């Protein structure tokens, strides 16, 4: 199986000319040709309300996308509830939302279930947002730490009790570490961020992280919990000694962010480093022709890659009941994956824009959406 080549740049992607875009709402054919890379919030006008539920990590980017799209389309709006990736996937599978934001692609059983709502080809996962997941901590007097996968796993399993533990000290020579209790904080909701974080731990530190990757935090582990990205960040901000995992765009203020060991060196978190990690990903087999689910290589040794990264998707039906819905979905999603939409996300959420190759594939996938026959 060949790996998808997503590019190693966080530069704004330019989609190849000639990719398909869409026509205005209500047309018989919503996929007349236009350069997909030039699609903007002020593209072909559409009307109606699009409802989405899902990833809280996409929150900042989604706010920018919704605002820009609505400003350019006076009769259209996008409603989005950041209730978590699991809630989003459930909503599109039961038909209560027209798209889901998810930091994890549909599982095999979810994909099979989607065929009853979305037609014989089911739902497709279209990447819209690439972001590193920060290991963020509140340790007074310390703003930067170096950690490897084994040490991160031990911290979140409760096997490291104090911040001056020898395992942390050995990786941070010269750093004054306090005799302060470590308080791990995890997501309480079904979360794609948790799915990606535990996927990294299970792959990169299997001798310590013996649980399987999952969107729900292992119930057997001790620690604090909070709902959503904002919830865990607030808890850590308010709790000296606390540590969590969260979308990097949400981490600010007095919180420090760890560098992660990759190969023989440590990588600082950045959009560039996230893009390098995505470049090592491979497509998931057994899905619809235009599905773009990506399996990441959490054990990459590529210099400068940051392996704790999430690729957040919009989960879309391959068919919808009405042409108006098809047109609205296509208009919004084409804007989201366009160079303009990706730039808006990068500016508001510190995300890595889709590479030109991945953006072109996303535009093609969006173009394939049609009305149920």
């Amino acid at each position: 199986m060949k790996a998808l080549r997503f590019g190693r740049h966080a530069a704004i992607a330019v989609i190849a000319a000639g990719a398909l875009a869409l026509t205005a709402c209500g047309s018989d054919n919503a996929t007349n040709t236009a350069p997909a890379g030039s699609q903007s919030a002020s593209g072909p006008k559409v009307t109606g309300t699009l409802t989405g539920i899902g990833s809280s990590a996409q929150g900042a980017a989604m706010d920018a996308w919704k605002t820009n799209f609505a400003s350019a389309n006076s009769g259209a709006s996008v409603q989005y509830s950041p209730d978590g990736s699991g809630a989003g996937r459930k909503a599109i599978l039961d038909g209560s939302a027209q798209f889901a934001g998810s930091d994890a692609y549909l599982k095999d059983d979810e994909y099979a279930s989607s065929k009853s709502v979305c037609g014989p080809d089911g739902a497709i996962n279209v990447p819209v947002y690439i972001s590193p997941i920060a290991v963020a901590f509140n340790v007074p007097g310390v703003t930067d730490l170096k950690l490897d996968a084994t040490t991160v796993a031990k911290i979140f399993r409760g096997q490291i009790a104090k911040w001056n533990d020898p395992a942390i000290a050995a990786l941070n020579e010269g750093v004054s570490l306090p005799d302060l209790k470590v308080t791990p904080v995890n997501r309480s909701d079904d979360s794609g961020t948790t799915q990606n974080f535990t996927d990294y731990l299970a792959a990169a530190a299997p001798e310590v992280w013996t649980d399987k990757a999952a969107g729900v935090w292992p119930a057997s582990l001790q620690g604090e919990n909070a709902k959503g990205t904002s919830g865990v960040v607030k808890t850590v901000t308010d709790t000296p000694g606390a540590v969590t995992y969260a979308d990097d765009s949400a981490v600010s203020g007095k919180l420090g962010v760890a560098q992660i060991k990759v190969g023989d060196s440590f990588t600082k978190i950045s959009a560039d480093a996230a893009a390098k990690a995505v470049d090592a990903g491979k497509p998931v087999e057994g899905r619809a022709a235009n599905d773009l689910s990506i399996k990441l290589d959490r054990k990459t040794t590529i210099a400068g890659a940051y392996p704790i990264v999430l690729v957040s998707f919009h989960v879309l039906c391959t068919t919808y009941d009405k042409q108006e819905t098809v047109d609205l979905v296509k208009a919004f999603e084409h804007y989201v994956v366009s160079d303009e939409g990706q730039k808006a996300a990068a500016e508001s959420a510190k995300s890595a824009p889709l590479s030109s190759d991945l953006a072109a594939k996303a535009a093609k996938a969006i173009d394939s959406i049609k009305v149920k026959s």
Side-chain angles (χ1 to χ4, degrees), residues 270-293:
S270 70
D272 258 331
K276 285 189 176 184
V278 173
D279 185 56
K282 295 181 179 181
V284 176
E285 296 182 324
R287 301 301 174 94
N290 289 293
D291 184 84
L292 297 175
S293 302

Side-chain angles (χ1 to χ4, degrees), residues 150 153-161 165 208:
T150 298
K154 287 181 177 180
I155 287 172
F156 281 91
R157 291 200 79 85
Q159 296 176 8
I160 290 179
D165 185 278
V208 177

Side-chain angles (χ1 to χ4, degrees), residues 56 82-84 186-190 225-233 235:
S56 60
D83 298 334
N186 62 268
R187 291 279 292 269
S188 62
D189 51 322
D190 186 341
N225 63 72
K227 184 176 181 180
T229 302
S230 59
V232 294
V233 170
T235 300

Side-chain angles (χ1 to χ4, degrees), residues 47-69:
T47 59
T49 300
L50 189 63
T51 300
I53 296 173
S55 165
S56 60
Q58 285 186 31
M62 185 62 73
D63 286 344
W65 290 332
K66 290 190 305 179
T67 299
N68 294 347
F69 187 72

Side-chain angles (χ1 to χ4, degrees), residues 218-273:
S220 61
L221 299 183
Q222 301 291 322
E224 301 293 325
N225 63 72
K227 184 176 181 180
T229 302
S230 59
V232 294
V233 170
K234 183 180 187 305
T235 300
V236 174
T237 301
D238 294 343
T239 310
V243 59
T244 194
Y245 54 94
D247 186 273
D248 187 43
S249 67
V251 178
S252 61
K254 63 183 179 182
L255 299 187
V257 174
Q259 297 182 45
I260 299 299
K261 191 172 186 181
V262 176
D264 296 324
S265 59
F266 291 87
T267 300
K268 288 186 177 181
I269 195 167
S270 70
D272 258 331

Side-chain angles (χ1 to χ4, degrees), residues 278-367:
V278 173
D279 185 56
K282 295 181 179 181
V284 176
E285 296 182 324
R287 301 301 174 94
N290 289 293
D291 184 84
L292 297 175
S293 302
I294 301 166
K295 178 64 176 176
L296 298 170
D297 179 7
R298 303 297 188 182
K299 296 188 289 184
T300 181
T301 57
I302 296 173
Y306 185 86
I308 318 177
V309 61
L310 66 83
V311 179
S312 200
F313 301 88
H314 280 178
V315 185
L316 310 170
C317 282
T318 51
T319 62
Y320 291 90
D321 290 333
K322 298 179 180 179
Q323 183 69 53
E324 290 79 8
T325 304
V326 170
D327 291 340
L328 187 57
V329 168
K330 285 187 173 184
F332 179 64
E333 296 299 337
H334 267 300
Y335 164 63
V336 166
V337 303
S338 72
D339 50 355
E340 181 184 334
Q342 289 295 294
K343 181 179 180 181
E347 290 175 348
S348 63
K350 299 191 292 185
S351 59
L354 303 179
S355 70
S356 58
D357 181 54
L358 186 54
K361 287 180 170 65
K364 180 181 177 183
I366 293 163
D367 279 329

